[in-house]
Structures are given as C-alpha cells and as structure tokens.
Amino acid sequence: MAIDNTFAIKKLQKLDGFYTVFSALTRMPYVVCDEETFDDQVYVFASEEAGKEFVKTMGDQKIPVSLLKIHQPHMAGFFNSLYALDVNAVKFCDEAGESNIALENLSPRPDMEKLATSKIPIMNPQLTLTMIYFLQELRRPVKHDMVQLHELEDEMIANLVKSHFILGIETVNDEENKNPEKINSNNIRIPFMKSKEGDIYQPIYTDFAEFRKYAGPKAQKMRMSNLTLKQLPQFLIKESKGYVLNPAGVNLVLTTEQLKHILQDYE
C-alpha cells in the first residue's frame, strides 16, 4: 500500500532551506540503498541539530560525511541534480520522524530518452551511482567485506564498459575550431594533471556537469570528444599513467593496466 506523503512534501517545500549530507570519500551526496524499498536515496534534514547528530553517527561507523545547507532558491536545482546520480528518493527527517519521498514528487524527471541520444553525454546516472556505492565502501578506513566490495566493483565496471565519456581537448588555433574536419591527433592538445607523486593522468568525465565543474572557465575554449571505454587507450599521451574520471567529484583513477584488463575481460 502506497504511503501518502503529501503533508511531508509540503513541509519540505515550504522550508527556507534544509540540510543534506555529502560524502568526504566521493565529494558527492551521500547515497544509501533502503533495505526495505531498495530506493537509492539521500538524506534531507529540516534542522541542523538533527543533521549534525546523523553526521556524528556516521563518523562512529567510519563513514566520513559532512553537512551542507541548501537554501530555498537552490532546493529545486539540488533535487533535479539527483537524477544524474540515479537517485530516486529522498529521506526527509524532521521533528515528526522520517518520510521517504519519491524524487519525482519534488522535481520532474528529465526526458531521459532525449538525453541518451545527445552526442555528448549529458548524464551517466547508472555509472555515477555505482561509482558512488563502490567508492563510499572502498575508501572507508575499515576491514572490508571483500565479497560485497567485489560485487560493487563488478557493477561499476559493467557500467563503465557500456558508458560514453567526455574528453576535453584544445585545438592549436581558432581555424581548427571553425573547421572540425581539420582536427586530428596531430593538432590537438590533451589536458593532463599530475598526482602528488608526479605521475601524469588525463581527466575524463561522465557528463557535461562534471566537465564544466573541473574545467571551469577553460571549458568554453575546449572541444568535447565523446568516447567509449574501448576508445580511451587511443588518446593516452606517451607519459600518461591512465585517466582520472570526474577529478572534481569521485576522482576515480583508471590506470592503463586496469583499462587493459577491463577491456580484455569484457570483449
């Protein structure tokens, strides 16, 4: 029997802001799978005190999270952004208790079919969600259940294989920007980043929002290439040790060796 959450929805929408939880391990909203409904959901708190108590509880479980206030003007944008994570519910906590609210009751679902046919990945929700679950567990400072961890990793890899990625490239001059047919591997610059150890990796992105988040003002001057996982090795520069997926978000490293093994196993 469906639960009528109309009152909770109205209370949430009338707040001047709410508190939500971000994971320090992924730099993304903290996502959990409800054990009863299997909804992929985020926490939203009406009060800062309740949010802080939740953060403390998570800390005791070696799950580092932080509290972030979402003000009224940004509430709709926050709910809409959750579709990019394949989140489908919000657990709203206030003085009356907890209410599980379907995301569609807070923000209209975007046209996923239209987004899927875009030349440049606009969203990669299933991949993003499986990366979040895997990294939230992998990066916890605890002894892991290796069976569970491998299951989470396998789900993530399965989505990596079938996804498309954005590679930002810079052309040598403006003429090439105006004439895409002239662009080839000899007249482009591929950005890279260095690790603390001095190793070179190349940034790639699951979607346009992650590309813009990391590239910043440079994004307007860069071209975006839409690549499958199988195409990624072709764009590795000589000194590169691999790729970093969503460096401003989950920051998932894919070494050349890992790419090779994944592609061999899933051919």
Side-chain angles (χ1 to χ4, degrees):
M1 181 178 178
I3 299 175
D4 185 2
N5 284 322
T6 303
F7 184 62
I9 293 169
K10 289 182 177 179
K11 285 177 66 177
L12 174 54
Q13 292 174 331
K14 288 181 179 179
L15 292 175
D16 63 357
F18 57 73
Y19 295 85
T20 191
V21 183
F22 269 64
S23 169
L25 305 176
T26 64
R27 292 181 286 189
M28 303 286 284
Y30 177 66
V31 184
V32 295
C33 181
D34 188 277
E35 294 181 356
E36 295 182 3
T37 65
F38 299 105
D39 286 326
D40 298 299
Q41 58 189 13
V42 299
Y43 283 89
V44 165
F45 296 91
S47 72
E48 185 178 15
E49 292 75 18
K52 285 183 176 179
E53 185 62 31
F54 179 83
V55 168
K56 182 180 182 302
T57 301
M58 292 294 99
D60 293 340
Q61 299 175 32
K62 306 297 183 183
I63 303 174
V65 295
S66 59
L67 207 60
L68 178 69
K69 183 167 186 179
I70 307 296
H71 296 277
Q72 171 63 241
H74 305 294
M75 285 167 50
F78 171 76
F79 291 134
N80 187 259
S81 73
L82 296 177
Y83 284 108
L85 314 183
D86 214 23
V87 166
N88 66 326
V90 167
K91 185 178 284 291
F92 176 48
C93 308
D94 66 354
E95 70 282 354
E98 297 181 349
S99 302
N100 287 10
I101 302 174
L103 184 58
E104 289 184 341
N105 290 330
L106 298 170
S107 177
R109 178 177 290 275
D111 187 341
M112 303 302 285
E113 290 187 8
K114 183 178 180 180
L115 294 176
T117 58
S118 173
K119 291 183 179 180
I120 294 297
I122 304 300
M123 293 202 304
N124 250 320
Q126 291 182 333
L127 172 58
T128 303
L129 181 65
T130 51
M131 286 196 300
I132 286 175
Y133 277 139
F134 173 62
L135 295 174
Q136 280 182 174
E137 184 59 29
L138 174 68
R139 293 171 178 169
R140 287 179 64 199
V142 297
K143 183 177 181 180
H144 296 102
D145 178 340
M146 296 310 296
V147 173
Q148 178 196 23
L149 195 62
H150 285 311
E151 288 176 352
L152 293 171
E153 183 180 30
D154 286 343
E155 278 193 70
M156 179 189 71
I157 291 174
N159 282 294
L160 279 170
V161 171
K162 63 185 180 183
S163 295
H164 286 242
F165 307 91
I166 294 174
L167 174 68
I169 59 177
E170 299 176 10
T171 53
V172 175
N173 56 52
D174 291 337
E175 182 181 352
E176 289 156 0
N177 278 321
K178 298 175 183 178
N179 298 280
E181 293 181 0
K182 293 185 178 182
I183 298 176
N184 56 59
S185 59
N186 295 320
N187 56 23
I188 62 174
R189 297 190 184 99
I190 299 179
F192 63 85
M193 53 196 298
K194 282 189 177 182
S195 67
K196 293 180 180 178
E197 296 75 24
D199 295 327
I200 288 176
Y201 292 91
Q202 295 164 226
I204 54 172
Y205 316 90
T206 56
D207 52 73
F208 180 71
E210 287 292 335
F211 167 70
R212 187 172 55 184
K213 188 192 300 184
Y214 183 74
K218 293 182 180 179
Q220 296 180 354
K221 299 180 180 179
M222 299 175 70
R223 297 186 63 85
M224 292 180 289
S225 184
N226 179 9
L227 303 176
T228 63
L229 193 77
K230 192 174 183 178
Q231 292 173 308
L232 290 180
Q234 303 172 34
F235 289 83
L236 283 167
I237 60 178
K238 185 178 179 181
E239 302 85 358
S240 179
K241 294 290 185 73
Y243 289 99
V244 176
L245 183 55
N246 293 353
V250 295
N251 197 44
L252 176 68
V253 174
L254 291 171
T255 66
T256 53
E257 292 79 10
Q258 288 171 326
L259 274 173
K260 182 179 178 180
H261 288 311
I262 291 173
L263 293 172
Q264 285 178 343
D265 291 343
Y266 282 82
E267 276 187 352

